[in-house]
Amino acid sequence: DLVVPHRLAGIRVEGQDLLLQPRAAPDRALDVDTVAHHDRRRAAAALDPHRPSYAPALSGLADALTQLTVYGFDTSPGVIERAREAAQAAVRADPLLGEAHASLGRQQVAGGTWDWEEEERHLKRAIELSPGYAPAHMWRAEILMARGRVPEGSAEIQRALELDPFS
């Protein structure tokens, strides 16, 4: 018998297939696979965006859209706003999903609002909920360093590297 992770319980089979495909590591080199990853996440999120079990797809969609914009693969108007909307929907769908808070936190700066406090609040919440999620530590380190809080930022980078040496 196939054991389905609890976050995938209740998702139609086609959604599970899309969500079980590996999540592209944020901030790694982008290529055609990243665009395909974005398309898979968008398809999974579109199946039912209001159910808590779809929050991981919405969070992944937000991250993929952000990556496409930040790295210049898609700079068309509205892309980062769609990323922000997906991150907000992920938090609404499952407020206890750390990855969703990390996605929303990242939007505060990557999306151009430059709300450092709000970004840090969401990233701290992400780390509280999902302490093993390396990207949250990495993104928090970036804002801490940018704000001159180097010792804290260094500690977060170290934690991210311990969790995922390839991050």
Side-chain angles (χ1 to χ4, degrees), residues 109 115-125 127 137-158:
V109 173
D115 189 340
W116 299 101
E117 288 79 18
E118 187 70 6
E119 178 179 27
E120 186 170 2
R121 185 177 70 78
H122 279 290
L123 290 170
K124 282 173 114 173
R125 182 67 174 142
I127 292 167
H137 293 277
M138 181 177 62
W139 295 334
R140 184 160 185 256
E142 290 174 355
I143 65 160
L144 291 171
M145 296 278 203
R147 298 181 79 194
R149 294 162 58 190
V150 175
E152 289 175 86
S154 295
E156 287 291 356
I157 280 290
Q158 185 59 42

Side-chain angles (χ1 to χ4, degrees), residues 13 28 38 40 50 71 73 79 87 90 95 99 102 113 122 130 158:
V13 172
R28 290 204 183 135
H38 157 67
R40 289 191 301 270
H50 304 293
Y71 293 110
F73 282 89
V79 175
E99 291 85 345
T113 62
H122 279 290
S130 300
Q158 185 59 42

Side-chain angles (χ1 to χ4, degrees), residues 13-167:
V13 172
E14 62 271 23
Q16 290 180 17
D17 290 346
L18 292 165
L19 290 172
L20 285 171
Q21 294 177 18
R23 181 180 175 121
D27 297 327
R28 290 204 183 135
L30 298 176
D31 54 20
V32 175
D33 290 339
T34 301
V35 176
H37 164 76
H38 157 67
D39 290 339
R40 289 191 301 270
R41 291 287 172 172
R42 183 180 54 198
L47 292 173
D48 190 349
H50 304 293
R51 293 177 61 179
S53 54
Y54 283 85
L58 291 163
S59 175
L61 174 61
D63 292 344
L65 287 168
T66 299
Q67 285 179 263
L68 291 173
T69 301
V70 167
Y71 293 110
F73 282 89
D74 189 347
T75 57
S76 58
V79 175
I80 203 68
E81 183 58 35
R82 288 195 318 267
R84 185 176 297 109
E85 289 169 3
Q88 291 169 339
V91 170
R92 280 193 308 273
D94 187 353
L96 299 179
L97 180 66
E99 291 85 345
H101 284 277
S103 298
L104 186 54
R106 188 172 190 221
Q107 292 307 308
Q108 303 307 313
V109 173
T113 62
W114 301 102
D115 189 340
W116 299 101
E117 288 79 18
E118 187 70 6
E119 178 179 27
E120 186 170 2
R121 185 177 70 78
H122 279 290
L123 290 170
K124 282 173 114 173
R125 182 67 174 142
I127 292 167
E128 289 171 8
L129 294 169
S130 300
Y133 186 53
H137 293 277
M138 181 177 62
W139 295 334
R140 184 160 185 256
E142 290 174 355
I143 65 160
L144 291 171
M145 296 278 203
R147 298 181 79 194
R149 294 162 58 190
V150 175
E152 289 175 86
S154 295
E156 287 291 356
I157 280 290
Q158 185 59 42
R159 182 66 182 135
L161 288 171
E162 290 168 2
L163 293 167
D164 180 2
F166 299 105
S167 62

